[in-house]
Amino acid sequence: MSDRANRVVLTTGSNSGIGLATTIEAARLGFRSVGSVRSEAKAEAVQRAAGRAGVGVETVLLDVNDAERCAQVVDELRPWGLVNNAGFGGMGAVEDVGDDEARELMETMVMAPMRLARLAAPHMRAAGGGRVVNMSSVFGRTTAPLAGWYCGAKHALEALSDSLRMEVAAAGIKVILVEPGGFKTGIWGEVDETARSRPGSNYERAYQRSGSGLRLTQPFMGNPERVAAVVGRALTSRFPSERYLVGIDAVALTVTQRLTPTVVRDRITRLGLGL
């Protein structure tokens, strides 16, 4: 624990959901936990949550899409651990998503985490090791209609993480993917809002069905603290797994995909969404 107190763990997107739970969990485990947020108001919310949890955390203002600011923050903190959690939900058929929207999603969920990992790696190498935990999703393993760009970003993050893991292993840096299923976070509200913003789409009925299904399943979703506990395990285990699949739904979906022929799986999905 004394060693952990000298190790900075930076978690991006820490103002709510899994990011907030992870920031608190890292502090509970004895690390110097720093959460990135994009406003002073969100920083205050993090501090209030940490106070209720009885732990001390720090916050730093950071837009992960600001490359210059990313470099400043990483050089100041010299993190031993980096948890790339920042991101957002987006629902849109490939036909409905324009270049700017797609570019923003890929920038935030692929370019930004790998930029931060690239910037942090020299500091970790100099310290003799470190941890990079990239928050993926079960959709980094499978793909769903109406979420192609989101799934594409998670698939890209997984591929890059696999490559990075092998490249930095000799330096004692471990790269870990966490793949949650459905948990109670603000991302689902963002997904529903995005779907409602596409009136007149050829996929309007499918959006409506998807939103209805989402609202029905939300009460059964798990708490973000469960994902944070897995991140904590990835940070503290001497031999962490390369991937942690989190949630019964994530495991079931992965197994189903492995056992069900693609043509059958596609047909069932299309019938459910009216595609």
Side-chain angles (χ1 to χ4, degrees):
M1 292 289 283
S2 59
D3 290 340
R4 293 179 189 175
N6 297 318
R7 291 177 169 177
V8 174
V9 173
L10 171 63
T11 302
T12 64
S14 68
N15 58 286
S16 64
I18 292 171
L20 177 59
T22 296
T23 302
I24 290 172
E25 178 68 6
R28 189 187 68 78
L29 291 170
F31 292 104
R32 180 186 164 196
S33 181
V34 182
S36 84
V37 293
R38 292 193 295 172
S39 70
E40 291 289 355
K42 290 180 177 180
E44 292 172 3
V46 172
Q47 292 296 340
R48 288 194 296 271
R52 291 193 295 270
V55 297
V57 304
E58 301 172 42
T59 55
V60 61
L61 294 180
L62 173 65
D63 180 341
V64 296
N65 291 333
D66 184 336
E68 184 176 348
R69 179 59 178 156
C70 285
Q72 291 174 347
V73 167
V74 170
D75 284 344
E76 289 170 6
L77 294 175
R78 303 172 68 89
W80 172 88
L82 170 65
V83 182
N84 281 310
N85 168 76
F88 58 90
M91 178 178 286
V94 173
E95 189 177 353
D96 285 345
V97 177
D99 289 353
D100 290 342
E101 185 179 348
R103 191 174 292 113
E104 181 186 10
L105 190 148
M106 297 298 282
E107 174 69 26
T108 303
M109 298 173 65
V110 181
M111 294 296 296
M114 300 317 295
R115 177 192 300 119
L116 286 165
R118 184 185 74 241
L119 293 168
H123 298 299
M124 295 178 182
R125 190 184 300 274
R131 302 286 166 98
V132 176
V133 181
N134 287 330
M135 192 62 63
S136 182
S137 163
V138 66
F139 289 117
R141 296 192 182 202
T142 186
T143 304
L146 311 182
W149 279 104
Y150 180 88
C151 296
K154 293 304 186 183
H155 276 69
L157 181 65
E158 297 229 350
L160 287 159
S161 298
D162 285 341
S163 183
L164 179 64
R165 184 183 66 249
M166 292 181 278
E167 292 165 356
V168 299
I173 302 171
K174 300 186 184 302
V175 180
I176 302 119
L177 284 158
V178 176
E179 303 165 321
F183 285 84
K184 294 176 182 176
T185 71
I187 195 171
W188 305 114
E190 296 171 10
V191 167
D192 208 17
E193 183 179 343
T194 304
R196 289 196 301 270
S197 71
R198 305 187 192 279
S201 166
N202 291 323
Y203 305 94
E204 190 165 7
R205 181 175 64 166
Y207 289 138
Q208 291 170 353
R209 287 193 179 188
S210 180
S212 297
L214 191 59
R215 285 186 286 274
L216 286 172
T217 58
Q218 273 187 303
F220 303 100
M221 292 181 180
N223 291 319
E225 287 78 9
R226 184 177 172 193
V227 183
V230 173
V231 175
R233 201 183 323 153
L235 291 170
T236 56
S237 174
R238 185 177 179 185
F239 301 108
S241 297
E242 293 79 13
R243 281 172 167 77
Y244 291 91
L245 191 61
V246 191
I248 295 173
D249 59 332
V251 174
L253 187 58
T254 302
V255 171
T256 299
Q257 175 178 266
R258 190 180 303 129
L259 298 177
T260 309
T262 300
V263 65
V264 175
R265 190 169 66 247
D266 284 2
R267 184 60 177 162
I268 292 171
T269 303
R270 289 176 57 207
L271 283 171
L273 291 174
L275 291 171

